[in-house]
Amino acid sequence: MEPDTQIDLSAGARSRSDQIAGLLEEQILTGRFPPGARLDEASLAEEHRVSRTPIREAFQRLAQSGLVDHAPRRGVFVRQTTAVEIMEMFEVMAEIEAICGRLAALRATETAVEALRQANAACRRALEAGDADLYYEENGAFHRLIYAQSGNRYLEQEATRLHRRLKPYRRMQLHLRGRLKQSMAEHEGIVAAIASGDAQGAERLLRAHVAVQGEKFHHLLSQLRIDV
Amino acid sequence: MEPDTQIDLSAGARSRSDQIAGLLEEQILTGRFPPGARLDEASLAEEHRVSRTPIREAFQRLAQSGLVDHAPRRGVFVRQTTAVEIMEMFEVMAEIEAICGRLAALRATETAVEALRQANAACRRALEAGDADLYYEENGAFHRLIYAQSGNRYLEQEATRLHRRLKPYRRMQLHLRGRLKQSMAEHEGIVAAIASGDAQGAERLLRAHVAVQGEKFHHLLSQLRIDV
DNA sequence: GTCAACCATCTCGTATACAAAAAGGATGGA
DNA sequence: TCCATCCTTTTTGTATACGAGATGGTTGAC
């Protein structure tokens, strides 16, 4: 075989363990397995009608994504993500989005900007329809578009990964009074900055747009006194 | 069990598969397994005197760190990291280090700055001794210190991870004429900026300091016509 | 001679088996 | 009554077994 043939693994042939990993991730994030809970190989294997092998492989993926801790010879435990850690992740997310915005302002083509405008229009429709869940989805698409327009695939990947990791904590803020409208207004400014090639503006606006999510999360915490 | 007890997994009890993963990683990066090469479960199992199970677990880790591609039902192949991807990673590294520098300038304590000065002094000694390998090590310590002084643990982790990923490509530049001296001079400026709380300066200097590595890498490529 | 289909072989993904280590409880002594 | 030690039990980590899917070569038809 020639060493320079890149393997195509775009095939959707996901193995059983992959599916289980995704499912477990969802279940952890939605709270079926609370922080500190131990994930039992045997019972999960029974539940999913598979042997321990796929379960263990799923555990490995979860451990690497930081969702669980793997204590050798003792088991797998749902990681206790502290509020501090989440705030730290929001801070990094703000910076990464700021970078994406800056690069996007410098690199986005006219057609790319048009795509961004359409994504934003979809957000506006969701807002006007009062559909918070839909807004949440369209908002995600909007941001992923900015990641892509950074023109840096690696950056896009990393941004998407962190975005995904913060998903449950962003979702908590959906029903905060007035947040959607404010978010929408910020979007307008961001699109304008990227469209006009205002790199500094896009950077600043995006950083603020995301940083406010971290702050909202903090407020939510102290109001509800939830231990995350 | 109380849900709020955080598991301590600082134990050095690394399983066999962890060790193998580290070893394989090293062997891939040092070129024993060239890009595109297929990693055979059976022969590796035999070589390491273990069964296929630990080998497969090691493969999973490598796949998630992006070092290999896992083609379902077909095998595991060393990933062909293209020059473009590496340049992209250097660009992200430059931005992340810039962020670390900015935050460090805002947050570093006097003792932290002193530690940074000492790390820099170690770099200088290595330079004066003409020991490129030692400089490389001390330089790594210097940068890790800046990551830590960002005051954001998550950021520190991510920066460390990318730093590690880029290690082999940074190492290629070690023997470029004059680079060590130039690097050292840049360090001085960075320390000064952080020490004086000059956030913008630290950000700008660190971005340039890392970006130049990407450029050097590019030059090296075109000179040597190496396919990475 | 070329192309397609079929079959043998190999490898992967999963199931099961076994050994070692850790956790928990019981027993004995202080 | 409390604590330490030993043993049992549970559970992990690894080895092995087996079925399914992919690969490559061969054979046959056109």
Side-chain angles (χ1 to χ4, degrees), chain B residues 93 97 100 115-116 118-124 126 131-149 156 159-164 166-167 170-171 174 180 183-184 187 206 209-210 213:
Chain B
M93 183 87 254
E97 295 232 13
C100 289
L116 203 57
Q118 290 191 3
N120 204 25
C123 289
R124 194 182 304 113
D131 189 338
D133 286 321
L134 183 61
Y135 182 86
Y136 180 76
E137 289 302 325
E138 300 293 356
N139 177 60
F142 176 80
H143 281 272
R144 277 192 297 276
L145 220 46
I146 294 179
Y147 306 158
Q149 292 179 13
E156 179 184 353
T160 304
R161 195 169 59 89
L162 183 52
H163 187 91
R164 192 174 144 70
L166 284 172
K167 186 173 176 180
R170 242 183 297 105
R171 204 177 181 90
L174 260 186
L180 258 55
S183 170
M184 190 65 224
H187 277 202
L206 263 165
H209 177 63
V210 178
Q213 294 175 6

Side-chain angles (χ1 to χ4, degrees), chain B:
Chain B
M1 155 177 316
E2 293 104 64
D4 45 352
T5 49
Q6 192 80 302
I7 302 303
D8 174 34
L9 42 68
S10 57
R14 306 205 319 156
S15 66
R16 196 86 187 84
S17 56
D18 282 343
Q19 297 175 27
I20 292 173
L23 204 68
L24 285 180
E25 184 178 19
E26 198 62 27
Q27 290 181 329
I28 290 173
L29 293 178
T30 56
R32 175 184 158 186
F33 299 110
R38 180 168 161 283
L39 299 183
D40 187 57
E41 291 182 1
S43 51
L44 282 171
E46 194 177 4
E47 177 181 332
H48 292 282
R49 309 294 180 85
V50 294
S51 74
R52 279 172 51 219
T53 310
I55 301 293
R56 284 178 61 84
E57 297 196 350
F59 282 178
Q60 284 214 332
R61 281 192 31 177
L62 295 177
Q64 276 208 325
S65 74
L67 229 56
V68 302
D69 277 340
H70 180 101
R73 290 267 176 206
R74 296 213 292 136
V76 168
F77 300 83
V78 177
R79 185 129 198 289
Q80 176 84 314
T81 307
T82 67
V84 170
E85 282 177 283
I86 296 167
M87 297 295 294
E88 288 179 347
M89 286 194 278
F90 269 117
E91 184 173 70
V92 174
M93 183 87 254
E95 295 297 339
I96 288 184
E97 295 232 13
I99 296 167
C100 289
R102 170 154 49 83
L103 295 179
L106 296 173
R107 298 173 179 174
T109 64
E110 188 49 49
T111 58
V113 169
E114 188 49 40
L116 203 57
R117 285 206 183 92
Q118 290 191 3
N120 204 25
C123 289
R124 194 182 304 113
R125 280 194 298 274
L127 174 65
E128 288 166 356
D131 189 338
D133 286 321
L134 183 61
Y135 182 86
Y136 180 76
E137 289 302 325
E138 300 293 356
N139 177 60
F142 176 80
H143 281 272
R144 277 192 297 276
L145 220 46
I146 294 179
Y147 306 158
Q149 292 179 13
S150 75
N152 185 319
R153 287 298 187 93
Y154 181 76
L155 180 59
E156 179 184 353
Q157 275 177 33
E158 292 300 301
T160 304
R161 195 169 59 89
L162 183 52
H163 187 91
R164 192 174 144 70
R165 182 86 169 78
L166 284 172
K167 186 173 176 180
Y169 311 112
R170 242 183 297 105
R171 204 177 181 90
M172 285 172 62
Q173 310 169 20
L174 260 186
H175 306 288
L176 281 182
R177 185 167 38 84
R179 175 60 195 139
L180 258 55
K181 214 166 198 169
Q182 184 191 348
S183 170
M184 190 65 224
E186 291 164 1
H187 277 202
E188 305 282 5
I190 291 165
V191 173
I194 292 178
S196 65
D198 176 10
Q200 287 202 346
E203 177 177 354
R204 184 174 42 79
L205 289 173
L206 263 165
R207 182 183 291 124
H209 177 63
V210 178
V212 75
Q213 294 175 6
E215 292 162 21
K216 294 283 181 192
F217 171 78
H218 199 185
H219 294 164
L220 221 56
L221 267 195
S222 34
Q223 281 175 18
L224 303 179
R225 294 175 188 263
I226 290 176
D227 273 336
V228 184

Side-chain angles (χ1 to χ4, degrees), chain A residues 90 92-105 112 115-123 134-153 155-164 166-167 170 173-174 179-180 182-191 194 202-214:
Chain A
F90 269 117
V92 174
M93 184 85 255
E95 295 296 339
I96 288 184
E97 295 233 14
I99 296 167
C100 289
R102 169 154 48 83
L103 295 179
L116 203 58
R117 284 205 183 93
Q118 290 192 3
N120 204 26
C123 288
L134 182 61
Y135 182 85
Y136 180 74
E137 289 302 324
E138 300 293 357
N139 177 62
F142 176 80
H143 281 272
R144 277 192 298 276
L145 220 46
I146 295 179
Y147 306 159
Q149 292 179 13
S150 74
N152 184 319
R153 288 297 187 92
L155 179 60
E156 180 186 353
Q157 277 177 31
E158 292 301 299
T160 304
R161 196 169 58 88
L162 184 52
H163 187 89
R164 196 172 139 70
L166 284 172
K167 186 174 176 180
R170 240 183 298 104
Q173 310 169 20
L174 258 187
R179 174 62 195 139
L180 258 57
Q182 184 191 347
S183 170
M184 191 66 224
E186 291 164 1
H187 277 204
E188 307 280 5
I190 291 165
V191 173
I194 292 177
E203 177 176 353
R204 184 173 42 79
L205 290 173
L206 263 165
R207 181 182 292 126
H209 178 63
V210 178
V212 76
Q213 294 177 5

Side-chain angles (χ1 to χ4, degrees), chain A residues 55-125:
Chain A
I55 301 292
R56 285 178 61 83
E57 296 197 350
F59 282 179
Q60 284 213 331
R61 279 191 31 177
L62 295 177
Q64 276 207 324
S65 74
L67 228 57
V68 302
D69 277 340
H70 181 99
R73 287 274 176 202
R74 298 213 293 137
V76 168
F77 300 83
V78 177
R79 185 129 196 290
Q80 175 85 313
T81 307
T82 67
V84 170
E85 282 178 282
I86 296 167
M87 297 295 294
E88 289 180 346
M89 286 194 276
F90 269 117
E91 184 171 70
V92 174
M93 184 85 255
E95 295 296 339
I96 288 184
E97 295 233 14
I99 296 167
C100 289
R102 169 154 48 83
L103 295 179
L106 297 172
R107 298 174 179 174
T109 63
E110 187 48 51
T111 59
V113 169
E114 187 50 38
L116 203 58
R117 284 205 183 93
Q118 290 192 3
N120 204 26
C123 288
R124 194 181 304 112
R125 279 195 299 275

